Amino acid sequence: MHPKELSYSECHVWCKKEPDGNIRLGMTYFYQEKFKNIVYIDLPESGTKITKGEPLASFESSKIAADIISPISGTIVESNSELADKPGIVNKDPYGQGWMLLVKPSQITELDDMLSAQNYINLILQ
């Protein structure tokens, strides 16, 4: 359910380091499952600077509207444009086609603050 090769934030965002050094981000299975039917996602455009701990994007589900908090600082390289028309992809495939952003990190050491899959599971079971 939570792939071991990924890193996780306490704010329920997963991170995957790509071979080119960029970081792919998405919403965790636990988080999307908590809110169920995601009906809208607002993602920043390419070139947008993001800051760790600040709102990165927002989403709406049939239950709530909420922000997604950035686990890293950097610059958006690419947003998953498919989510604009089909936000429910996040519910169906949060670790695959439901990825949200590709980020060029400004401080790669911020990834050191991320949780392993097991530590993330421990967090959400508390």
Side-chain angles (χ1 to χ4, degrees):
M1 186 177 316
H2 302 288
K4 291 180 181 176
E5 68 274 9
L6 302 178
S7 299
Y8 300 85
S9 75
E10 292 181 5
C11 296
H12 312 290
V13 175
W14 58 263
C15 295
K16 178 183 179 188
K17 189 172 182 183
E18 298 292 345
D20 63 3
N22 289 325
I23 308 297
R24 192 169 304 274
L25 304 176
M27 184 184 302
T28 66
Y29 177 87
F30 170 81
Y31 205 53
Q32 66 78 30
E33 181 69 13
K34 181 177 179 179
F35 300 115
K36 302 283 183 203
N37 186 25
I38 296 176
V39 297
Y40 175 76
I41 297 177
D42 183 27
L43 299 173
E45 297 179 6
S46 297
T48 302
K49 300 225 182 276
I50 59 171
T51 303
K52 179 180 177 177
E54 297 293 322
L56 166 67
S58 60
F59 70 95
E60 293 178 18
S61 75
S62 54
K63 295 183 175 190
I64 193 171
D67 288 329
I68 298 168
I69 304 302
S70 183
I72 60 172
S73 300
T75 304
I76 303 298
V77 174
E78 181 182 359
S79 294
N80 186 348
S81 59
E82 193 172 358
L83 298 181
D85 295 328
K86 300 175 185 174
I89 294 171
V90 172
N91 296 116
K92 292 178 182 142
D93 190 12
Y95 297 115
Q97 291 181 324
W99 68 274
M100 295 183 174
L101 298 164
L102 189 63
V103 177
K104 180 178 181 179
S106 59
Q107 299 178 31
I108 196 69
T109 56
E110 289 177 336
L111 288 176
D112 297 341
D113 297 333
M114 302 294 287
L115 302 171
S116 67
Q118 186 58 56
N119 287 342
Y120 180 71
I121 291 167
N122 293 343
L123 173 76
I124 61 177
L125 291 178
Q126 292 179 3

